[in-house]
Amino acid sequence: MLLFYPRHPNALANETPTTEHHSATTGEADMWTSLTMESYLEVTCHYTDSNTELGSVVLGVSKFPKSHTADNIKEALSELISDWGLTGSVAAMVTDNAANMVSAIQKLGLRHLPCFAHTINLIVKRAVEEHKVMADIRSRARRVVSYFRSSTNATEKLILAQEEQEMHLLHP
């Protein structure tokens, strides 16, 4: 099953991320689950062209109905890399620090680079969790947001209160 955009001759305005035109190619892969509980896999290619200009192209975003195992992710990424003619030219892949993503990249024989933003997020999250006062504030804020997201009446009252106070409307 083809999960990604098929390669099209005009898709990248004659600038496909291949070794013919580019000196370095790396990939970025991310998985997430939508609010409707559908899983997606997104892959972006970052490259430098012959003029050392940085370029980026989204190679595909697609539903990922399979289990999120390293083998299934590896299979999908391998198919995508092959379909775009990038076999042998990808220097590294950037992903979050999830074990399945790291393993999939290693099984592809590629260098794994952890996403810097994700790593910083994990550090901040852990610091907040370890600081009781911050964890309590976070917990209370989540309950407030959950309350307004689960009640249309409460949301309407919040909007009215914001309008009465001439506040910028904050929609949950």
Side-chain angles (χ1 to χ4, degrees):
M1 174 170 91
L2 183 62
L3 293 174
F4 300 95
Y5 304 130
R7 187 172 180 179
H8 186 275
N10 298 323
L12 305 176
N14 298 323
E15 280 294 321
T16 56
T18 63
T19 52
E20 293 172 19
H21 305 288
H22 306 93
S23 57
T25 304
T26 61
E28 169 195 343
D30 191 21
M31 295 191 82
W32 70 92
T33 303
S34 72
L35 292 175
T36 58
M37 299 307 294
E38 295 173 313
S39 296
Y40 290 87
L41 175 63
E42 174 272 335
V43 179
T44 302
C45 177
H46 304 284
Y47 58 92
T48 55
D49 65 17
S50 56
N51 296 322
T52 64
E53 295 290 325
L54 181 62
S56 295
V57 129
V58 174
L59 299 182
V61 178
S62 184
K63 284 186 183 179
F64 193 84
K66 296 180 178 181
S67 177
H68 295 188
T69 65
D71 287 332
N72 288 340
I73 295 167
K74 174 197 170 256
E75 179 184 312
L77 291 173
S78 180
E79 182 180 341
L80 175 72
I81 289 168
S82 175
D83 288 349
W84 280 91
L86 297 172
T87 303
S89 66
V90 179
M93 288 288 287
V94 177
T95 74
D96 62 17
N97 299 317
N100 58 344
M101 293 298 277
V102 174
S103 180
I105 301 310
Q106 290 171 342
K107 288 179 178 207
L108 282 169
L110 299 174
R111 180 176 179 200
H112 176 264
L113 299 172
C115 174
F116 183 73
H118 184 258
T119 302
I120 293 295
N121 185 50
L122 291 175
I123 292 167
V124 170
K125 203 173 186 181
R126 185 171 180 186
V128 167
E129 289 169 358
E130 290 180 0
H131 193 273
K132 184 173 173 18
V133 173
M134 292 300 294
D136 185 47
I137 291 169
R138 180 176 178 234
S139 176
R140 288 177 187 207
R142 282 186 163 192
R143 283 196 303 269
V144 169
V145 170
S146 293
Y147 173 73
F148 286 106
R149 284 197 171 184
S150 65
S151 171
T152 56
N153 289 336
T155 300
E156 288 174 22
K157 288 180 183 179
L158 174 62
I159 291 169
L160 286 174
Q162 290 170 335
E163 287 172 348
E164 287 174 8
Q165 297 291 321
E166 297 181 4
M167 295 175 66
H168 175 72
L169 295 182
L170 302 173
H171 296 282

